[in-house]
Amino acid sequence: MNRLLLGTPLLWALVSCASAPSQSSADIPVATHTQAPLRVERALSRPEPTPQPTRKAMVRRILPLNVRLVTTEGGKVRRSASGVVIGTEAGEAGPVSYVLTNAHAVEQGDLTDPVLKVVLDRRAESHEYPAEVVATGQVPELDLALLRVTGVTWPVAELAADDEPEPGEDVVVAASPYGRALSISGGMVSQVEWDKETKHPRMLKTDAPIGYGASGGGIFSLETGRLLAIVEGYRTAKVDFEVAAQNFSFDVPMPGETFAAPSAKVRGFLQAKGFGRLLERSADAEGAGPQKTASR
């Protein structure tokens, strides 16, 4: 009898343990059934990261946004420069494209019968179009100019935000040094000089090498493809040497001393000259500095 009584608590304990799985679902924590599937669904719905274009792909995207400028007189080339297509619109007589360059690159006061042309280089072919200057800034404070080319619709550069340029940004410069076809040089933004009143950049420098004829060339972000600045000029160092009792000298561009008008200055120039609409249409389509030497 004593053995039976002592074994009874143990028997009840065994019964209780065996009957645990048959409890009502209301007694089971909901988390054990719902949390794991939710985590799986959220993981499956995560968007895949967008792959970054290669340097070659970005250059292919940037090059068609740039043009070459040539001023001739009597059939001879007197000046050469570079430019960036900044806008396009439908004019009364047909389509019109606008090219941004430097004011000093289109000065023609010393020429008697100048002809300004925009040259479009596409691999082995080059096409020339007459251009008209429709707006200029005051050199050296605002060394920018806007040209109009009628009868064409060209791809348009997207202007970077005013505060986008930052030191260390990888960039490419598209320009036509020495009047030749467009070429690309690479580097980074080496300095951004900020305006204390507007709080926007007023001057940008890059260490990307350029040469004579690069005035008006575009400085583009290698990450976004947007236009960060327009080349204005560069600082040079004079090199003298002597060969066979004759003295020679030439100017050498200094690395990191290429000066440019940043996007904030470009935007202000276009708005002040009555061409702010070009920036709006471009966006819809795309979703007191140191002494300088002109690089014409």
Side-chain angles (χ1 to χ4, degrees):
M1 185 66 179
N2 291 339
R3 290 177 183 176
L4 180 60
L5 292 175
L6 289 173
T8 300
L10 178 60
L11 178 62
W12 281 109
L14 291 172
V15 172
S16 298
C17 292
S19 62
S22 63
Q23 290 179 6
S24 171
S25 60
D27 298 330
I28 300 175
V30 177
T32 60
H33 292 280
T34 60
Q35 285 184 348
L38 282 175
R39 284 196 297 268
V40 173
E41 290 176 4
R42 286 170 186 164
L44 291 176
S45 64
R46 244 178 236 163
E48 292 292 330
T50 304
Q52 180 69 22
T54 63
R55 176 186 291 267
K56 186 176 181 179
M58 189 60 75
V59 167
R60 283 179 174 176
R61 171 183 166 186
I62 290 170
L63 267 180
L65 312 175
N66 301 269
V67 296
R68 180 163 49 103
L69 308 182
V70 176
T71 299
T72 62
E73 185 180 42
K76 296 182 179 179
V77 176
R78 298 295 301 272
R79 288 192 181 90
S80 63
S82 309
V84 180
V85 183
I86 197 64
T88 185
E89 63 182 0
E92 296 181 357
V96 178
S97 289
Y98 293 88
V99 174
L100 193 67
T101 187
N102 289 149
H104 79 257
V106 296
E107 288 178 352
Q108 301 173 345
D110 59 331
L111 304 178
T112 57
D113 189 23
V115 177
L116 177 61
K117 296 180 181 179
V118 169
V119 184
L120 198 65
D121 295 307
R122 293 292 183 267
R123 292 185 178 268
E125 297 183 356
S126 295
H127 304 277
E128 297 183 351
Y129 303 87
E132 175 190 6
V133 180
V134 295
T136 56
Q138 187 67 37
V139 182
E141 291 79 11
L142 192 58
D143 192 3
L144 293 172
L146 188 66
L147 312 181
R148 179 166 56 202
V149 183
T150 58
V152 294
T153 301
W154 291 331
V156 176
E158 181 184 0
L159 194 62
D162 289 348
D163 58 352
E164 185 172 336
E166 290 286 350
E169 176 94 8
D170 289 329
V171 299
V172 291
V173 179
S176 303
Y178 301 98
R180 299 183 180 276
L182 285 169
S183 66
I184 290 286
S185 62
M188 67 177 179
V189 175
S190 54
Q191 182 186 8
V192 177
E193 184 177 299
W194 294 80
D195 190 290
K196 295 181 179 179
E197 294 183 1
T198 65
K199 309 302 181 185
H200 294 315
R202 65 178 179 183
M203 187 272 292
L204 179 148
K205 289 201 298 185
T206 178
D207 64 349
I210 67 167
Y212 176 91
S215 282
I219 301 178
F220 295 84
S221 167
L222 195 55
E223 180 180 357
T224 67
R226 288 193 284 264
L227 178 64
L228 296 175
I230 295 292
V231 174
E232 290 182 311
Y234 52 87
R235 193 191 303 276
T236 60
K238 196 173 191 65
V239 177
D240 295 300
F241 60 96
E242 184 176 324
V243 176
Q246 292 185 338
N247 292 322
F248 298 89
S249 66
F250 57 91
D251 293 329
V252 179
M254 297 177 62
E257 295 296 317
T258 295
F259 302 90
S263 55
K265 184 178 285 189
V266 171
R267 182 173 284 106
F269 166 74
L270 293 174
Q271 291 171 343
K273 297 298 182 178
F275 291 93
R277 66 184 185 276
L278 299 179
L279 298 175
E280 297 171 3
R281 296 182 183 184
S282 172
D284 292 339
E286 297 285 345
Q291 201 66 25
K292 296 177 288 185
T293 299
S295 57
R296 290 180 297 185

